[in-house]
């Protein structure tokens, strides 16, 4: 090896060692430094699958089992349509000329639907993804947040029927109200958690016909990615049936969170099971 090459190699090794020592002095290990360099990497299907798996018991049970939810699914007195193109939004049709369209966050920046987990349709963007689960009681919309560079606000733009409005119930939960002031569609309380299962601060905001879930995933330096968040939309035909049993808004939201026929039947009786599962 020539003397000049030896000198250049020695300088490179010295610079690398100095950089590593500098990172250690600052309390940044090599692994942490490497992770920090990957925050701009595009979101992958494996990251979305990891995010969905991390939801655990918070994940709704897909009504169609392992089948793809893309297309139109009949649910009791209505239908739920999950498109391949995210810009078309999710449609809840109550078979009474009352159709609700829920626009997906960042739809213009997301790819077409793909099934990364059984029974779940996912639309991947660069730093976040929307995933949709059609459940017996309505639809769950999960957001996967890939890194600190991802947005903290996720907008659900609604297309409402004439006379409907988006507002808050007496319990402070978002809902769509009909012309007579009664609730047509209810939204469950928001939640968000990181990859370690730690709660992440989140809340809803309403602006006109847009429901925004704010996920403060950058509030803590200890947030582990991916972060998972969701709203659950309780279908209008299910909500009205449960109201007919004399149940109140908070009870109905709790039913959605229980999820399974056995748990719902134990808490609210066979009639509530019939409202949701049609049997």
């Amino acid at each position: 090896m020539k003397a000049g090459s030896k000198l250049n190699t020695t300088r490179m090794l010295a610079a690398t060692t100095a950089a590593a020592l500098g990172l250690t002095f600052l309390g940044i290990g090599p692994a942490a430094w490497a992770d920090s360099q990957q925050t701009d990497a595009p979101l992958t299907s494996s990251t979305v699958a990891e995010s969905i798996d991390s939801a655990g018991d918070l994940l709704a049970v897909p009504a169609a089992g392992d089948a793809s939810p893309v297309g139109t699914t009949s649910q009791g007195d209505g239908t739920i349509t999950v498109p391949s193109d995210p810009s078309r939004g999710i449609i809840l049709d109550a078979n009474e000329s009352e159709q609700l369209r829920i626009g997906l966050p960042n739809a213009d920046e997301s790819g077409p639907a793909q099934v990364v987990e059984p029974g779940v349709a996912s639309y991947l963007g660069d730093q976040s993804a929307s995933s949709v689960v059609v459940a017996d009681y309505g639809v769950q919309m999960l957001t996967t947040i890939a890194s600190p560079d991802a947005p903290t606000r996720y907008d659900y733009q609604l297309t409402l029927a004439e006379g409907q409005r988006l507002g808050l119930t007496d319990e402070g939960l978002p809902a769509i109200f009909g012309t007579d002031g009664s609730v047509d569609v209810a939204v469950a309380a928001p939640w968000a958690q990181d990859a370690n299962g730690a709660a992440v601060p989140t809340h809803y905001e309403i602006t006109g016909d847009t429901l925004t879930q704010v996920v403060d995933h950058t509030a803590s330096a200890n947030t582990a990615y991916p972060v998972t968040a969701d709203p659950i939309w309780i279908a209008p035909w299910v909500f009205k049936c449960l109201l007919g049993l004399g149940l109140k808004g908070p009870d109905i939201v709790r039913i959605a969170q229980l999820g399974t026929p056995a748990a719902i039947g134990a808490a609210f009786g066979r009639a509530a099971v019939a409202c949701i599962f049609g049997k």
Side-chain angles (χ1 to χ4, degrees), residues 212-271:
T212 300
Q213 183 170 9
V214 181
V215 185
D216 294 323
H217 58 90
T218 58
S220 170
N222 297 321
T223 299
Y225 293 88
V227 169
T228 310
D230 95 315
I232 290 175
W233 304 77
I234 303 173
W237 53 91
V238 172
F239 194 86
K240 289 179 180 178
C241 182
L242 293 170
L243 281 178
L245 300 178
L247 296 174
K248 305 298 183 183
D251 289 332
I252 294 174
V253 170
R254 184 180 166 212
I255 282 176
Q257 293 168 337
L258 288 172
T260 66
I264 292 169
F268 298 98
R270 293 176 60 88

Side-chain angles (χ1 to χ4, degrees), residues 156-252:
Y156 296 88
Q157 174 67 51
L158 307 182
T159 302
L160 305 176
E162 185 176 355
Q164 288 183 326
R165 66 176 179 84
L166 177 64
L168 295 175
T169 65
D170 293 339
E171 296 78 27
L173 293 174
I176 297 171
F177 295 86
T179 53
D180 60 355
S182 63
V183 174
D184 288 341
V185 178
V187 183
W191 61 263
Q193 65 178 26
D194 73 2
N196 293 331
V200 176
T202 184
H203 66 275
Y204 289 136
E205 293 180 3
I206 291 176
T207 305
D209 293 342
T210 299
L211 176 66
T212 300
Q213 183 170 9
V214 181
V215 185
D216 294 323
H217 58 90
T218 58
S220 170
N222 297 321
T223 299
Y225 293 88
V227 169
T228 310
D230 95 315
I232 290 175
W233 304 77
I234 303 173
W237 53 91
V238 172
F239 194 86
K240 289 179 180 178
C241 182
L242 293 170
L243 281 178
L245 300 178
L247 296 174
K248 305 298 183 183
D251 289 332
I252 294 174

Side-chain angles (χ1 to χ4, degrees), residues 38-94:
Q38 297 175 3
T39 57
D40 291 327
L43 186 62
T44 64
S45 58
S46 61
T47 301
V48 176
E50 176 188 345
S51 169
I52 294 170
D53 285 340
S54 72
D57 292 341
L58 295 171
L59 181 67
V61 178
D66 292 347
S68 170
V70 176
T72 298
T73 302
S74 295
Q75 297 284 83
D77 291 330
T79 60
I80 299 175
T81 300
V82 177
S84 177
D85 179 356
S87 67
R88 296 178 61 184
I90 309 302
I91 296 176
L92 279 65
D93 194 333

Side-chain angles (χ1 to χ4, degrees), residues 95-109:
N95 291 342
E96 298 174 355
S97 299
E98 291 183 6
Q99 188 180 89
L100 168 65
R101 177 187 176 276
I102 306 171
L104 293 167
N106 304 316
D108 293 342
E109 303 169 6

